[in-house]
Amino acid sequence: MAVYFEDVNIGQEMPKLVKGPIQKLQHVIYAGASGDFNPLHTDDDFARMVGMKDGVITHGMFIMGIIGQAITDWVPKKDLKKFGVRFMGMTKPGNTITVTGNVVDKIEDGNIIVCEVQAADESGDIKATGRFTAKFPNRDK
């Protein structure tokens, strides 16, 4: 269902996306898809050796991908103009990631909305924050 510029308001929340719990197998699949085979993400012994007492950590770009999915579940990919994140914390296997966001600006010239997003785990620990801009269609066009 299309979302129109006229229907979006500053402060409005975007639809929430919940993913997880994240499995170690997803780390390996993501490594293969991305080409990032850093053993910090796939080998518990290596991860512990370099100081990660609980073992492997999830690829940051995997979390960014979840945030991207949350955005494109709401905004068609063709209308997404800019998207960036800042990583804030490590994600581990077993974490469930919830992506939330809200509209912080609405620019009439060009039908652009600006939205801030965040990804947090089940404890509320923020893993990434970000911002995107998107163009929304007018209802009458």
Side-chain angles (χ1 to χ4, degrees), residues 45-118:
D45 292 336
F46 177 84
R48 287 186 186 99
M49 185 177 69
V50 296
M52 301 295 155
K53 67 178 176 96
D54 295 327
V56 298
I57 60 172
T58 304
H59 299 78
M61 294 301 288
F62 181 90
I63 301 304
M64 186 175 182
I66 292 173
I67 296 170
Q69 180 183 354
I71 295 168
T72 57
D73 281 354
W74 187 43
V75 177
K77 290 178 193 171
K78 67 179 180 55
D79 296 329
L80 183 62
K81 302 301 178 195
K82 189 174 181 180
F83 168 42
V85 303
R86 180 180 181 147
F87 299 107
M88 307 296 286
M90 292 182 280
T91 303
K92 300 173 183 164
N95 283 151
T96 295
I97 299 299
T98 300
V99 179
T100 57
N102 63 301
V103 177
V104 295
D105 198 7
K106 187 173 175 181
I107 304 166
E108 298 285 336
D109 184 24
N111 290 2
I112 302 294
I113 65 110
V114 181
C115 191
E116 292 180 345
V117 293
Q118 75 174 24

Side-chain angles (χ1 to χ4, degrees), residues 118-136:
Q118 75 174 24
D121 69 12
E122 64 283 355
S123 298
D125 292 333
I126 297 173
K127 305 304 182 182
T129 60
R131 176 178 277 241
F132 70 90
T133 58
K135 180 175 181 150
F136 280 66

